[in-house]
Amino acid sequence: MAETLEARIAHIEDRIAISELRARYSFLVDQSMAEEAADLFTGDGEFHGPVKSYVGRAEHVEHYSRQALSGMWHFGANEIIEIDGDRATGQAYCHMPCVFEGESYVCACRYDDVFAREQGVWKFAKRTVSFFYFVPLKDGWGGERMRFPGVAA
């Protein structure tokens, strides 16, 4: 049975809203806007990082207020979004150069997300980050230059 035009448009609008939620998260965290970043989570929303997890608005505000990174720039890509009514799941990759204790780092990660529509607005119900690499810029991904087959050094 074919979906109605209205249902198809609503699905597209939901995908755009979720994509915008991810982009807004990156911008707010990069700008150290802790209160606003915390508002992107549901009331009992969870964030799971490599060291610690945070649940609920108060913990999110505390976490984003005291981040040890003095500079951070999220560049997101490869979004996947699966919508099922007022819930959705998805993954996204992120390249994130940053500064930690005065040293430049290069890192990339994957976000695994669960979204929920709360009072008509899409929010993070759960966001889990796992890193592919997080190394000082001077060391590169593996401490040496990458080499491609058939290309002179």
Side-chain angles (χ1 to χ4, degrees):
M1 181 173 171
E3 291 186 53
T4 67
L5 179 59
E6 290 81 10
R8 292 171 49 208
I9 290 171
H11 184 80
I12 292 168
E13 288 175 336
D14 288 340
R15 292 181 60 80
I16 291 170
I18 290 170
S19 183
E20 169 104 359
L21 172 66
R22 285 176 164 159
R24 188 171 305 282
Y25 172 89
S26 295
F27 177 81
L28 294 172
V29 171
D30 291 353
Q31 298 301 313
S32 300
M33 299 174 75
E35 298 272 342
E36 294 86 348
D39 288 341
L40 301 179
F41 288 83
T42 60
D44 59 351
E46 306 173 23
F47 178 85
H48 299 279
V51 177
K52 193 172 177 190
S53 295
Y54 306 92
V55 178
R57 188 174 195 290
E59 289 187 14
H60 289 290
V61 171
E62 179 185 344
H63 166 65
Y64 295 119
S65 294
R66 62 176 170 73
Q67 277 194 314
L69 303 173
S70 59
M72 182 180 345
W73 305 272
H74 286 78
F75 298 99
N78 301 346
E79 289 189 331
I80 297 173
I81 301 168
E82 301 290 336
I83 301 169
D84 185 11
D86 287 337
R87 302 282 290 181
T89 58
Q91 298 79 36
Y93 285 177
C94 183
H95 172 72
M96 188 177 65
C98 58
V99 178
F100 178 70
E101 295 182 349
E103 186 169 4
S104 296
Y105 280 76
V106 61
C107 61
C109 62
R110 172 181 162 159
Y111 285 108
D112 290 287
D113 297 317
V114 176
F115 308 97
R117 195 183 333 240
E118 190 175 77
Q119 297 178 2
V121 177
W122 284 104
K123 295 189 174 193
F124 294 106
K126 181 178 179 183
R127 179 156 246 218
T128 303
V129 62
S130 53
F131 286 89
F132 299 116
Y133 54 86
F134 192 109
V135 294
L137 180 60
K138 66 181 177 4
D139 293 344
W141 287 271
E144 61 184 50
R145 191 167 159 222
M146 294 179 67
R147 299 186 190 283
F148 293 95
V151 177

